[in-house]
Amino acid sequence: MDIKESNENDLQHIWAQVQQKLKITSQRIGSTIPYIAIDHRYTDVGSTHITWWTNGFWAGLLWQMYHATQDQQYLEIARAIERKLDVALAQEDRLDHDVGFMWLNAAVADYKITNDPEAKTRGLKAAQILAGRYQSTGRYLLAWNGVDKKGQVIVDCFMNLPLLYWASETFNKPEFAEIATNHAYTATKALVRADGSVNHIAVFEPQTGELLKTLGGQGYGEGSAWSRGQAWGIYGLALAYRNTHDSYFLTQAKLVANAFIANVALSGYVSHIDFRAPEEPVYWDTTATAIAICGLLELSQYLPTDQQHLYRASALKMFWALTERFCNFNPEEDELLTGGSAKYHRASDREVPIIYGDTFYIEALLRLLALNLTIY
């Protein structure tokens, strides 16, 4: 199909293919915890690394499918994964800021649909762990563990903040929302550049809270523009606006979104790993595009009608580009979205199927069909 404005029939056709595939692959993958597909089969990272940051995304995908279809099969598998992650929840010293990604997808999604009390308790525990990473000197959430990671903040963490906002509202704990908002201001000022590109990592002096430097992280290098970081920025800043109603975050979200759109338009509306990497070799990261679609659709909701078209139309162009060039609807093969990349300078997980690519592609599709569950 051509890259175009979508219509209902096109989307329903894609949705039918997704349902057909997931009905089969969900049974085959079951309650294992997938990460990267090798030879069209997802590996079970849960059996070797139960605290790995991506371990909630399969559950999140299944909750989206259950919410949209009411097929009990998806609920049962998602619940099995949620319970399996209890082992990780008990290992606080091995968890980091990505408890947000993990338990928003695995437990909070469950609670939002079913009001399950155990899921609610798991969500609170994860929020307490995340809040415990707050550094009052500097007003930020520490990203990772270890002496060499002291003072580090990363753009991805915008997506973890909704766990704190959810817990603040659900349990009447305003201190959680205060932590999230403080981090959002600190991270925005440190990570978003004047031209709308973003840094992946900012490093603060732990004792004084002073910003020391920024690092290239998973992108090409210092000063580059890692596309997945850009996508986290679009989505995360839109969510910061939703939770604070401060127009500062809306302005910053538009700035980052405009930079993403301008760059992705040069590559057929699918993102390279880094927008400032050399022209050759060409490396794709479809996961960044899928995340950006969700972020653009989230952002467009908060804009005046006459400003929405750019963001919705660009999201649609990205969606159809992914669908035409990188989607695999064959139910005999596990992966849905191909061409995902974890980082620029590592071949082992560059241009491969990655589970969160599938998750955000399905969220994007369901958003376009007005069937999505609000996970973040």
Side-chain angles (χ1 to χ4, degrees):
M1 67 182 66
D2 294 331
I3 297 172
K4 58 186 177 181
E5 294 279 319
S6 76
N7 62 54
E8 186 71 15
N9 288 338
D10 293 329
L11 292 170
Q12 289 294 345
H13 176 66
I14 300 303
W15 178 221
Q17 291 184 84
V18 166
Q19 289 182 82
Q20 181 182 31
K21 181 181 178 93
L22 265 294
K23 185 73 173 177
I24 295 170
T25 59
S26 62
Q27 292 177 331
R28 185 167 60 238
I29 298 168
S31 62
T32 63
I33 300 180
Y35 176 40
I36 289 175
I38 299 173
D39 296 329
H40 306 297
R41 290 291 183 268
Y42 272 120
T43 54
D44 179 14
V45 72
S47 64
T48 57
H49 196 344
I50 194 62
T51 57
W52 184 239
W53 77 276
T54 66
N55 285 0
F57 286 115
W58 176 231
L61 184 157
L62 294 167
W63 285 120
Q64 288 283 12
M65 293 299 294
Y66 175 69
H67 180 262
T69 68
Q70 296 299 299
D71 187 331
Q72 195 74 11
Q73 168 184 307
Y74 298 121
L75 179 149
E76 291 170 359
I77 300 172
R79 278 264 173 85
I81 296 167
E82 182 183 347
R83 295 187 184 109
K84 187 177 287 188
L85 288 174
D86 285 346
V87 175
L89 197 57
Q91 299 180 36
E92 184 172 345
D93 61 328
R94 296 182 60 192
L95 295 169
D96 56 31
H97 70 140
D98 285 325
V99 293
F101 276 127
M102 294 173 73
W103 279 278
L104 281 167
N105 279 277
V108 176
D110 181 0
Y111 176 69
K112 286 181 177 181
I113 299 172
T114 71
N115 290 311
D116 181 75
E118 292 183 4
K120 182 180 181 182
T121 299
R122 291 182 179 105
L124 175 60
K125 174 63 174 176
Q128 290 168 332
I129 292 171
L130 181 56
R133 304 187 68 80
Y134 185 63
Q135 310 296 301
S136 56
T137 302
R139 296 159 66 95
Y140 61 86
L141 290 161
L142 184 64
W144 295 310
N145 305 324
V147 175
D148 61 329
K149 300 293 193 296
K150 283 187 175 180
Q152 292 194 5
V153 168
I154 69 173
V155 68
D156 318 38
C157 193
F158 280 113
M159 299 297 296
N160 294 317
L161 302 183
L163 177 64
L164 294 176
Y165 287 117
W166 168 82
S168 179
E169 180 178 355
T170 304
F171 295 96
N172 191 27
K173 290 182 176 292
E175 63 271 23
F176 284 168
E178 182 180 357
I179 287 170
T181 300
N182 287 347
H183 175 91
Y185 284 118
T186 300
T188 303
K189 292 172 184 175
L191 296 172
V192 179
R193 304 181 185 123
D195 65 356
S197 64
V198 301
N199 295 296
H200 182 197
I201 303 172
V203 184
F204 294 88
E205 208 294 316
Q207 302 305 316
T208 66
E210 175 190 3
L211 177 63
L212 297 177
K213 57 185 176 180
T214 58
L215 303 175
Q218 288 161 244
Y220 179 73
E222 291 184 30
S224 66
W226 178 49
S227 63
R228 182 150 55 90
Q230 293 284 139
W232 294 139
I234 298 167
Y235 201 165
L237 286 162
L239 294 171
Y241 172 75
R242 186 185 75 197
N243 285 294
T244 64
H245 306 292
D246 187 336
S247 61
Y248 168 71
F249 293 117
L250 192 64
T251 299
Q252 294 297 301
K254 289 170 62 179
L255 184 68
V256 176
N258 293 346
F260 193 100
I261 292 167
N263 280 281
V264 82
L266 301 176
S267 55
Y269 288 93
V270 177
S271 45
H272 295 153
I273 298 177
D274 195 301
F275 292 132
R276 292 181 179 168
E279 291 186 13
E280 297 291 338
V282 173
Y283 294 137
W284 301 101
D285 182 15
T286 57
T287 72
T289 310
I291 295 159
I293 294 166
C294 298
L296 292 170
L297 295 174
E298 181 74 25
L299 170 61
S300 70
Q301 298 178 92
Y302 310 120
L303 299 175
T305 303
D306 62 353
Q307 295 183 29
Q308 293 176 7
H309 178 73
L310 170 64
Y311 303 103
R312 285 193 61 84
S314 297
L316 286 165
K317 286 179 182 291
M318 295 178 204
F319 178 81
W320 292 121
L322 286 183
T323 301
E324 179 185 80
R325 295 163 56 189
F326 290 97
C327 274
N328 176 2
F329 296 109
N330 182 356
E332 299 306 312
E333 299 173 351
D334 287 356
E335 71 274 13
L336 176 60
L337 187 65
T338 64
S341 297
K343 64 188 300 183
Y344 188 92
H345 293 290
R346 188 169 63 206
S348 62
D349 50 8
R350 190 171 58 216
E351 296 189 325
V352 296
I354 306 176
I355 189 59
Y356 50 80
D358 294 1
T359 304
F360 284 103
Y361 178 84
I362 286 178
E363 179 187 336
L365 172 61
L366 293 177
R367 278 178 175 269
L368 292 169
L369 292 168
L371 293 173
N372 64 296
L373 169 68
T374 300
I375 289 181
Y376 297 98

